[in-house]
Amino acid sequence: MTFSSKAQDPVDRPRVTLRAEALTKIYRTGEVEVQALRGVDLELFERELVVLLGASGSGKSTLLNILGGLDVPSSGRVFFDGTDITASEESALTRFRRDHVGFVFQFYNLIPSLTARENVALVTEIAAHPMAPDEALEMVGLGERLDHFPAQLSGGEQQRVAIARAIAKRPNILLCDEPTGALDSATGILVLEALEQVNREIGTTTAVITHNTVIGDMADRVVRLADGRIVQITANPRRRPACELAW
Amino acid sequence: MRALNRKLLRDLWRLRGQVLAIAMVVASGVAVLVMSVSAIEALEETAQAYYERYRFADVFAGLKRAPQRLAHRIEAIPGVQAVETRITKLAMLDIPGFDEPVIGQLVSIPERGTPVLNQLALREGRFVAPGRVDEVVLSEPFAEEHGLRPGDHLKAIMNGNKRTLEVVGIALSPEFVYAIAPGALMPDDLRFGVLWIGREALEAAYDLDGAFNDVSLSLLRGAQVETVIERLDQLLDRYGGIGAIARADQVSNWFLMNEIEQLKTAATILPVIFLAVAAFLTNMVLARLIAAERSEIGLFKAFGYGNAWIGWHYVKMVVAMTAVGIVIGWGVGALFGRLNTEIYAEFYRFPFLYYRPGPAAFAIGAVVSLGASLVGTIGAVRQAATLPPAEAMRPPAPPVYERTWLSATWLGRWLDQPTRIILRQISRWPVRSALTSTGIALSVGVMVMANQWTDSINHIIQVYFYEAQRHHMAVGLVEAQSSTAVHEFERMPAVLAVEPMRIVSVDFSKGTRKHRGSLAGMVPVTRFNLIYDVSGQVIQVPPGGLVLGTKLAEKLGVGVGDEVFVEILEGRRPARPVRVVRLFETYIGMPAYIDIRVLEDLLRERPSVEYVNLLIDEAAEKELFAKLKDLPEVSAVMLRRAAVDTFRKTMAETLLIYIGFFSAFAVALGFGVVYNSARIALSERGRELATLRVLGFSRMETSYILLGEVGLLVCAGLPLGCLAGGGLAWMITTAFETELYRIPLVVEASTYGTAVLVALVATVISAALVRRRLDRLDLIAVLKTRE
Ligand SMILES: Nc1ncnc2c1ncn2[C@@H]1O[C@H](COP(=O)(O)OP(=O)(O)O)[C@@H](O)[C@H]1O
Ligand SMILES: [Mg+2]
């Protein structure tokens, strides 16, 4: 078992990894304005797995992108370990993404001209304390397909490469935007198992976006969004293992 | 190897078609520069080395006759290093199997040892042997034109006697890089040649024992040419000197230097424009290529790559692409530069060739190309990198298409969907569309600019040789003859009409400005030698004043009404101011005309002729030629059609060959631009087109959407290109002026047509190449992955 490098909180209360305060986001395209987030407050705790649920267009991706420093909010702030990343310099933001955040995208976003191993290496080469690319791919069950190019892998396998790429830097936060969205259920469950395993073994704070309510059962907490607001947060008494899920 | 570098290499390999097309654009620019500059350098260096190695003299003087001992007094002039005295004469030749009269320039060489100055490069055979009066060494171009080899014979009328000479050697001389008959405008190796004959043989033939009638000098470093010439003229005055000239005014050298100057202008301006255009296109293409990488840039940022890092990655990518082009450009440029130089060397008959390109052209080409690429890349990367990664990773927001006249009018209703997509796409990206059209316009413009030369030269020929010169031939006489000679010519076979002319060597001066040239005395109402203005106006020479070409007037800084000091370098060397009464524009040379009676007055001579212009019956010309061959007083026979031939040849073999290379590069440039535009459009819109295919559009229709857009932009670029071409041609013809030529701005419709056609062919080929890719579009893969 691998532990996070951070010391345990003396009090038996989980530490906050990421905190969002009063986030709003307005998209402007020409004369059209879309209010994607209308004031979101959220805390993500160390080692927890959160599922974000909501209808399409409810603002899930927008929220996740802002949390991970991929986008800037129109107002509001995001704190990581007590520092305001929304006020950070470009270079500090880059370092935050490089050292602390792993992303998994719905469409995998692998570099087509690099093999599975090289796609992972792309990230480990610049991270502070990465694991070996082979090791990360081993964790997601792809130890055998290291030298395959994305085009030679199935959708599920590509998504698992993307997960390996996201976790190989041993991030504090893993942000996944509909990781199973493009997959059939059996493959989707394989991917979720990989996420679950990483969360358990590395202790990475994990947020998973989905509009599939069933997936909520594997989470510590389920956050529901609607129309740019958090409408409900429920804590599950028990996480269901991903392998028991079915849809 | 770092993963990023590996990606770089694989991407370059994947994009190899485009890399090659971009490389082609870059390479064209670099190659044209390297080719032009290195060929010119080589030409100049070779000419200089030729002059040095064969001891080309610095000062030349002709005279009537002076005793050999005068050579010592010439040697004693301060600044003189070496003196070579010679006998030179013109003689009518008779070459077996050649009807037309041929004039030979006889030049003496020592029977023992080599000349001190103006040495010969022996190409074949040997020099003349002592005691053999009938041996001759021929100039190589002349010998080749007539197929004469050592052992062959020819006849020459020397001092009234027809003599048979045996060719013993073939040689080249720095003094006759261009062999131009006295009074001729262009070299004509068929009808004028140089014959080197033993000094003693010539002394005997022309009763010049112990005397000479030509002297050349070389000067010590730092010697003042003008003072030496002045002293020399004083010395020779008593012996019928006709005015010494410096090397700069020596006819072969003047011609050669003018040609080099002219090539140099062409070889500087054209490549600079070309390189600038190539740089602009490189910049444009790469900027668009990188802009298409925007989502990848977003992804790198999401991983935590910093802007500098990402920038460096793309810089490496375009440097690699550009470097391919630069290296190809260097190689091709050097190769063509060498080829070009070889052609020049062959044309100018240099006995050897120096091709040692200096580093400057290579460096400038590389720096400009790299600079243009980098500016384009860094701009595009910056644009993508300043976006938050989330935004960069999204495909660019679907553009807001507005309902415009397109949908509202009857035209809109009539257009089918694919056509609407094309038009909307163009109106959505006006800047980019405009840039593509501009790129195509520039490549068309460069082609027009290159081909315009041919038009201009044809125009010069038309105006100068056919419109202005009505006579078929001009005959030069050894010495001015009494005006009864005109009647003699009138009685010759095939002659329809005769008009006399007098041409004298003259120093024009105004204050400190000077020009050594010639002054033509014209009959008051000339029917043959029309003096044409470039505007097509015929000018009459008014009695009493000078009519000058504007170029000469410019050089002297005079206008109508001003007086020019005219010193005639013949006869009694009269000198006096003459008023300028008219100016006229001309393309060739720096002519000056005066009424022949005024000229005779100046010379204080009875009416005399030195040239006669003949209108002949060309069907019967052979008889006339035969007659002329036996006339000892004829020194030059110039045929109009021969002059046109040689003019074309001089221009064609130097300038037009250069222009030919240049056009080829322009085509490569055009192709590179069109192909890249189509390829980038494909990579930008692959998803959209695949979606359309999935929706049921046929291959034909999707190709139409993509290629129709490119085609439309090309079509918009064509008229712009013709405009740009006109503009560039104007720029060039304005900048391109030597003492010898002015190039008129003439662009024939066919030149525009050719350029347009080439652009269209390039478009069709590019379209076919892209179409193949489009047909192989993997629908599922495109839809599944988000690039
Ligand atoms: N780049 C953008 N420009 C304009 N509107 C956007 C953009 N991205 C998202 N939106 C809008 O913001 C809202 C929230 O989008 P998103 O966060 O992607 O929703 P979800 O991920 O929950 O489906 C939607 O209405 C969407 O149309
Ligand atoms: Mg989403």
Side-chain angles (χ1 to χ4, degrees), chain B residues 12 20 33 35 44 122 156 175 385 422 452 504 518 638 733:
Chain B
L12 285 173
L20 222 63
L33 186 77
M35 172 185 86
E44 281 191 309
L122 192 66
E175 201 183 350
I422 292 175
Q452 171 265 339
V504 288
S518 60
M638 289 157 279
T733 48

PDB file of all heavy atoms in Angstrom, chain B residues 12 20 33 35 44 122 156 175 385 422 452 504 518 638 733:
ATOM      1  N   LEU B  12       6.325  15.004 -37.566  1.00  0.00           N
ATOM      2  CA  LEU B  12       6.964  15.466 -38.801  1.00  0.00           C
ATOM      3  C   LEU B  12       6.819  14.409 -39.890  1.00  0.00           C
ATOM      4  O   LEU B  12       6.549  14.729 -41.042  1.00  0.00           O
ATOM      5  CB  LEU B  12       8.452  15.760 -38.551  1.00  0.00           C
ATOM      6  CG  LEU B  12       8.738  17.040 -37.788  1.00  0.00           C
ATOM      7  CD1 LEU B  12      10.217  17.124 -37.448  1.00  0.00           C
ATOM      8  CD2 LEU B  12       8.326  18.249 -38.605  1.00  0.00           C
ATOM      9  N   LEU B  20       7.080  18.756 -46.750  1.00  0.00           N
ATOM     10  CA  LEU B  20       7.737  18.883 -48.037  1.00  0.00           C
ATOM     11  C   LEU B  20       7.243  20.114 -48.782  1.00  0.00           C
ATOM     12  O   LEU B  20       8.022  20.840 -49.404  1.00  0.00           O
ATOM     13  CB  LEU B  20       7.469  17.624 -48.870  1.00  0.00           C
ATOM     14  CG  LEU B  20       8.672  17.118 -49.629  1.00  0.00           C
ATOM     15  CD1 LEU B  20       9.759  16.700 -48.673  1.00  0.00           C
ATOM     16  CD2 LEU B  20       8.266  15.951 -50.522  1.00  0.00           C
ATOM     17  N   LEU B  33      17.998  32.838 -54.004  1.00  0.00           N
ATOM     18  CA  LEU B  33      19.010  33.764 -53.494  1.00  0.00           C
ATOM     19  C   LEU B  33      20.413  33.187 -53.665  1.00  0.00           C
ATOM     20  O   LEU B  33      21.313  33.844 -54.194  1.00  0.00           O
ATOM     21  CB  LEU B  33      18.739  34.068 -52.017  1.00  0.00           C
ATOM     22  CG  LEU B  33      19.642  35.135 -51.431  1.00  0.00           C
ATOM     23  CD1 LEU B  33      19.187  36.509 -51.869  1.00  0.00           C
ATOM     24  CD2 LEU B  33      19.683  35.058 -49.921  1.00  0.00           C
ATOM     25  N   MET B  35      21.436  30.777 -55.609  1.00  0.00           N
ATOM     26  CA  MET B  35      21.775  30.625 -57.020  1.00  0.00           C
ATOM     27  C   MET B  35      22.233  31.956 -57.605  1.00  0.00           C
ATOM     28  O   MET B  35      23.301  32.061 -58.199  1.00  0.00           O
ATOM     29  CB  MET B  35      20.551  30.119 -57.779  1.00  0.00           C
ATOM     30  CG  MET B  35      20.737  30.109 -59.281  1.00  0.00           C
ATOM     31  SD  MET B  35      19.218  29.651 -60.151  1.00  0.00           S
ATOM     32  CE  MET B  35      18.399  31.224 -60.277  1.00  0.00           C
ATOM     33  N   GLU B  44      31.807  37.399 -61.468  1.00  0.00           N
ATOM     34  CA  GLU B  44      32.711  38.525 -61.225  1.00  0.00           C
ATOM     35  C   GLU B  44      34.120  38.050 -60.906  1.00  0.00           C
ATOM     36  O   GLU B  44      35.100  38.567 -61.429  1.00  0.00           O
ATOM     37  CB  GLU B  44      32.194  39.374 -60.058  1.00  0.00           C
ATOM     38  CG  GLU B  44      31.063  40.288 -60.473  1.00  0.00           C
ATOM     39  CD  GLU B  44      30.743  41.313 -59.399  1.00  0.00           C
ATOM     40  OE1 GLU B  44      30.562  40.896 -58.238  1.00  0.00           O
ATOM     41  OE2 GLU B  44      30.675  42.510 -59.723  1.00  0.00           O
ATOM     42  N   LEU B 122      45.528  29.659 -75.061  1.00  0.00           N
ATOM     43  CA  LEU B 122      45.507  28.773 -76.225  1.00  0.00           C
ATOM     44  C   LEU B 122      44.583  27.597 -75.935  1.00  0.00           C
ATOM     45  O   LEU B 122      44.703  26.934 -74.922  1.00  0.00           O
ATOM     46  CB  LEU B 122      46.922  28.278 -76.524  1.00  0.00           C
ATOM     47  CG  LEU B 122      47.093  27.572 -77.871  1.00  0.00           C
ATOM     48  CD1 LEU B 122      46.868  28.554 -79.018  1.00  0.00           C
ATOM     49  CD2 LEU B 122      48.489  26.960 -77.965  1.00  0.00           C
ATOM     50  N   ALA B 156      41.997  36.455 -96.524  1.00  0.00           N
ATOM     51  CA  ALA B 156      41.798  37.799 -95.982  1.00  0.00           C
ATOM     52  C   ALA B 156      42.360  38.817 -96.965  1.00  0.00           C
ATOM     53  O   ALA B 156      43.378  38.567 -97.601  1.00  0.00           O
ATOM     54  CB  ALA B 156      42.517  37.926 -94.639  1.00  0.00           C
ATOM     55  N   GLU B 175      40.788  40.374 -73.857  1.00  0.00           N
ATOM     56  CA  GLU B 175      40.493  41.592 -74.581  1.00  0.00           C
ATOM     57  C   GLU B 175      39.247  41.443 -75.447  1.00  0.00           C
ATOM     58  O   GLU B 175      38.605  42.419 -75.812  1.00  0.00           O
ATOM     59  CB  GLU B 175      41.699  41.913 -75.484  1.00  0.00           C
ATOM     60  CG  GLU B 175      41.804  43.322 -75.927  1.00  0.00           C
ATOM     61  CD  GLU B 175      43.006  43.491 -76.868  1.00  0.00           C
ATOM     62  OE1 GLU B 175      43.816  42.552 -76.989  1.00  0.00           O
ATOM     63  OE2 GLU B 175      43.105  44.561 -77.481  1.00  0.00           O
ATOM     64  N   ALA B 385      -1.625  29.597 -26.500  1.00  0.00           N
ATOM     65  CA  ALA B 385      -1.175  29.380 -25.132  1.00  0.00           C
ATOM     66  C   ALA B 385      -1.767  30.368 -24.145  1.00  0.00           C
ATOM     67  O   ALA B 385      -1.817  30.103 -22.957  1.00  0.00           O
ATOM     68  CB  ALA B 385       0.349  29.414 -25.070  1.00  0.00           C
ATOM     69  N   ILE B 422     -19.441  26.453 -48.074  1.00  0.00           N
ATOM     70  CA  ILE B 422     -18.218  27.086 -48.574  1.00  0.00           C
ATOM     71  C   ILE B 422     -18.256  28.587 -48.337  1.00  0.00           C
ATOM     72  O   ILE B 422     -17.334  29.171 -47.758  1.00  0.00           O
ATOM     73  CB  ILE B 422     -18.040  26.822 -50.086  1.00  0.00           C
ATOM     74  CG1 ILE B 422     -17.745  25.350 -50.325  1.00  0.00           C
ATOM     75  CG2 ILE B 422     -16.922  27.685 -50.655  1.00  0.00           C
ATOM     76  CD1 ILE B 422     -17.685  24.985 -51.796  1.00  0.00           C
ATOM     77  N   GLN B 452       7.716  38.419 -67.442  1.00  0.00           N
ATOM     78  CA  GLN B 452       7.567  39.713 -68.081  1.00  0.00           C
ATOM     79  C   GLN B 452       8.819  40.103 -68.860  1.00  0.00           C
ATOM     80  O   GLN B 452       8.751  40.823 -69.840  1.00  0.00           O
ATOM     81  CB  GLN B 452       7.222  40.743 -66.995  1.00  0.00           C
ATOM     82  CG  GLN B 452       7.230  42.177 -67.410  1.00  0.00           C
ATOM     83  CD  GLN B 452       8.565  42.820 -67.112  1.00  0.00           C
ATOM     84  OE1 GLN B 452       9.332  42.354 -66.287  1.00  0.00           O
ATOM     85  NE2 GLN B 452       8.834  43.905 -67.798  1.00  0.00           N
ATOM     86  N   VAL B 504      31.258  59.191 -84.943  1.00  0.00           N
ATOM     87  CA  VAL B 504      32.594  59.518 -84.423  1.00  0.00           C
ATOM     88  C   VAL B 504      32.650  59.268 -82.923  1.00  0.00           C
ATOM     89  O   VAL B 504      31.641  59.352 -82.230  1.00  0.00           O
ATOM     90  CB  VAL B 504      32.959  61.001 -84.691  1.00  0.00           C
ATOM     91  CG1 VAL B 504      33.242  61.212 -86.168  1.00  0.00           C
ATOM     92  CG2 VAL B 504      31.860  61.938 -84.206  1.00  0.00           C
ATOM     93  N   SER B 518      29.692  57.800 -78.497  1.00  0.00           N
ATOM     94  CA  SER B 518      29.780  58.112 -79.914  1.00  0.00           C
ATOM     95  C   SER B 518      28.662  59.075 -80.294  1.00  0.00           C
ATOM     96  O   SER B 518      27.642  59.163 -79.623  1.00  0.00           O
ATOM     97  CB  SER B 518      29.698  56.834 -80.739  1.00  0.00           C
ATOM     98  OG  SER B 518      28.472  56.191 -80.485  1.00  0.00           O
ATOM     99  N   MET B 638      26.845  45.034 -91.129  1.00  0.00           N
ATOM    100  CA  MET B 638      25.908  44.652 -90.089  1.00  0.00           C
ATOM    101  C   MET B 638      24.544  44.391 -90.699  1.00  0.00           C
ATOM    102  O   MET B 638      23.967  45.256 -91.340  1.00  0.00           O
ATOM    103  CB  MET B 638      25.804  45.762 -89.053  1.00  0.00           C
ATOM    104  CG  MET B 638      27.055  45.881 -88.214  1.00  0.00           C
ATOM    105  SD  MET B 638      27.227  47.512 -87.508  1.00  0.00           S
ATOM    106  CE  MET B 638      27.915  48.422 -88.868  1.00  0.00           C
ATOM    107  N   THR B 733      11.490  46.801 -63.365  1.00  0.00           N
ATOM    108  CA  THR B 733      11.957  47.525 -64.540  1.00  0.00           C
ATOM    109  C   THR B 733      12.449  48.910 -64.153  1.00  0.00           C
ATOM    110  O   THR B 733      13.331  49.456 -64.786  1.00  0.00           O
ATOM    111  CB  THR B 733      10.850  47.661 -65.598  1.00  0.00           C
ATOM    112  OG1 THR B 733       9.665  48.104 -64.958  1.00  0.00           O
ATOM    113  CG2 THR B 733      10.592  46.341 -66.273  1.00  0.00           C
TER     114      THR B 733
END
